[in-house]
Amino acid sequence: MPTPTVRLRAPLSLFSMGLVMAVLLRMFVAVDSWADLRVTKYDVFGYYLYLPATFVYHDIAGLGFVTPILDKYDLTNRGNPAHPLGNYEVSRARTEPDRYVIKYTMGLSILYAPFFAAAHIYTKYLSSAYPADGYSLPYQLAAYTAGLVYALLGLVLLRRLLLLYFGDALTALLLVVVYCTTNYLCYAVFKSLYSHNFLFVLHTATLLLAHYWLQRPRLRYILGLSLTIGLAVLIRPTEVIILLVPLLLGVASRADLQARIQLLWANRLQVICFGLGVFVIMVPQLLYWHHTSGHWTYDSYPGESFDFLHPKLYPGLLSFDNGWLTYTPVMVFALVGLFVLWRHRRDWFWLVTLYLSLHVYIAYSWWCWWYMDSFGSRTMVQTYPLLSLPLGFCLQTLFRRGVAVRVLTASVLILLTALNGFQLWQRQEGIFMPEHMTRRYYFAILGKTHLTKADLTKFDTNEADPDRSRYVSEVVYFNNFSQESAAGVTNDFALVAPVFQVDAQHPYSPTYRQRLGDLQVQPGDWIEARAQAFFPDKAWDINQMPSLVIEFKRNGQTYKWKGMRLMNKVGEVSTVYGGTPKVWDEVQFFSKVSADAQPDDEVSVYAFQNGSTQPVLIDNLTVTVLRHR
């Protein structure tokens, strides 16, 4: 541990820590929904569920309170037919059908518990303004505060860790980079109740405790390691790889590894205490599984699994759909820093390289490799305590290369910090959405504070707009539904009756179909779909918004499908979720004829319900062909 004198002699890192704290606190109070704060939702609903189930409702197996709580507070998805309670965080026990199993392990509930207890005591004994139901505003505020407190604790611990290896100035810089130039900025405040924030803290503490134990093998340090590692595994079992820290920290060669094994053997009673400590932490989870399912272990992720033979490494790291380095490019410095470690700090190289390799392989072998509801790849946040070491050594090397390199490096870091903060602001405003992001939409909104319909179309199609001056256009289809007698034709809300209503009963509009040869189009030509659209009520789920579709088929098999969401392009365009109900507006998009298109291929144009619970009306469906001049 740095001595008090050393810490007092590190004023820059102390100031930097205070500055980052101020940023996090400012973001914390920037929430605009304090009166209706709801943070225990979606995944967090499942993480948190153990606490109210145990201490408020005393119904850990039946969970009979879940449905009325969801009806009251609307905290997570409802109506999921695969789960009897109607949400994705709980499933019926397969071996005990009258019982239910919470999807997530209870590690996060343990870390939430002190804040939950404070809220419960307040609502039950000190105030009657809010119900003591586990989900009213005091509980939400307590949970939200918990995430911030742990993020600040991680900041303090990270400063201590970095001061063991770097000077005051570089430590100050690294604190800003790790917290403000990476996607951890989002998970330290806005999504602080996700597991990644807490794992960041636990892994930082593990590194510190391992360092202390290796210097002085004391029982208190090994018990601390059993707590931090045990909780990390209880939060996410795949975090078991953090055991590499006490095994490989400071190991630079085979001789060092042999010496480490001898050290562990010489302190085998402490190692046994470590194992017992981890086991004690696991016991409540084992008892819970046995109580609800009749088995000591239980797969609470039915239908979700790893595919270790086909890891999605490239898209996980570099795609625009939540790719890690795409949205946290500053970590390229950390990857370069691995080569610096190889040359100058071999005692860190093996640990960081092996841990990072295993983590990336495991994380991107998961079926949902893009990790829904992310700002960048959230699964990488917990690696940042370890990656701060190669990151620091890389920056240290660059800052010693001369004035020009120092200025260039500093400029890049400033630019990346500004970009990270701006993109987080765009995300909060509904402009930036890393999940389902496309390359063309990313560059279309880069630096923008407002959206256009053309921008949003690129989010849907990832295609450029054609230069119409290079093409001759011909309208090949027009349907105002005045000649249609099919079900779905209606006069409701029509400017000029009739129109067609796309809904659950009529999921497809009348469809235009034609062979490409008959249209006399060639590879590189374009198909344009255009229509007037209207919806009486908004659908907010962008994955289920009705779409206007251009589809290409060969021998009855679709080889290209492009759909443009309709609702967020009608009326005022402000966010990915935008759109204005009860107004008619024109929507349009283009799709390019593929380079390998054949004359017998078929193109279809239609409107599609796409699972939406809200109807959309269309009129004047038009198909235009753009042929090269």
Side-chain angles (χ1 to χ4, degrees), residues 345-360:
R345 289 303 303 260
R346 200 73 58 88
D347 56 325
W348 270 97
F349 174 81
W350 295 111
L351 168 61
V352 177
T353 302
L354 184 56
Y355 172 84
L356 182 63
S357 300
L358 287 173
H359 181 87
V360 166

Side-chain angles (χ1 to χ4, degrees), residues 357-528:
S357 300
L358 287 173
H359 181 87
V360 166
Y361 175 68
I362 293 170
Y364 297 125
S365 294
W366 185 238
W367 72 273
C368 186
W369 57 265
W370 63 96
Y371 291 90
M372 291 180 284
D373 197 24
S374 278
F375 177 69
S377 187
R378 56 187 169 95
T379 189
M380 296 301 296
V381 166
Q382 58 261 38
T383 69
Y384 296 166
L386 272 82
L387 289 180
S388 64
L389 276 300
L391 175 64
F393 284 113
C394 177
L395 295 178
Q396 185 180 69
T397 301
L398 291 172
F399 282 123
R400 290 174 175 172
R401 291 282 181 173
V403 175
V405 175
R406 286 201 297 271
V407 170
L408 179 61
T409 302
S411 300
V412 170
L413 291 177
I414 292 171
L415 178 64
L416 293 179
T417 304
L419 177 65
N420 189 62
F422 182 73
Q423 288 182 338
L424 183 56
W425 175 85
Q426 284 183 313
R427 186 189 183 281
Q428 295 303 110
E429 294 295 313
I431 298 172
F432 190 86
M433 189 174 181
E435 188 177 348
H436 309 307
M437 177 70 77
T438 64
R439 178 177 62 87
R440 293 188 185 279
Y441 181 68
Y442 178 88
F443 288 107
I445 65 169
L446 190 61
K448 285 189 176 181
T449 58
H450 297 88
L451 288 176
T452 66
K453 290 183 182 181
D455 295 335
L456 280 176
T457 300
K458 292 178 176 63
F459 180 76
D460 298 333
T461 68
N462 197 28
E463 290 199 71
D465 293 330
D467 179 0
R468 300 195 70 138
S469 65
R470 300 174 55 193
Y471 298 88
V472 176
S473 62
E474 178 188 359
V475 175
V476 296
Y477 177 78
F478 176 80
N479 192 347
N480 61 7
F481 307 107
S482 61
Q483 305 300 316
E484 295 282 351
S485 59
V489 174
T490 179
N491 293 331
D492 295 343
F493 305 108
L495 285 177
V496 179
V499 296
F500 191 91
Q501 178 167 304
V502 179
D503 53 26
Q505 289 72 41
H506 318 100
Y508 295 91
S509 73
T511 301
Y512 169 76
R513 291 186 178 88
Q514 189 59 271
R515 293 171 62 252
L516 297 184
D518 295 337
L519 289 175
Q520 299 179 352
V521 297
Q522 303 293 327
D525 291 342
W526 294 80
I527 306 295
E528 178 193 22

Side-chain angles (χ1 to χ4, degrees), residues 101-118:
V101 180
I102 299 171
K103 180 177 182 179
Y104 307 104
T105 48
M106 63 178 63
L108 285 173
S109 277
I110 292 173
L111 295 177
Y112 298 159
F115 301 87
F116 169 86

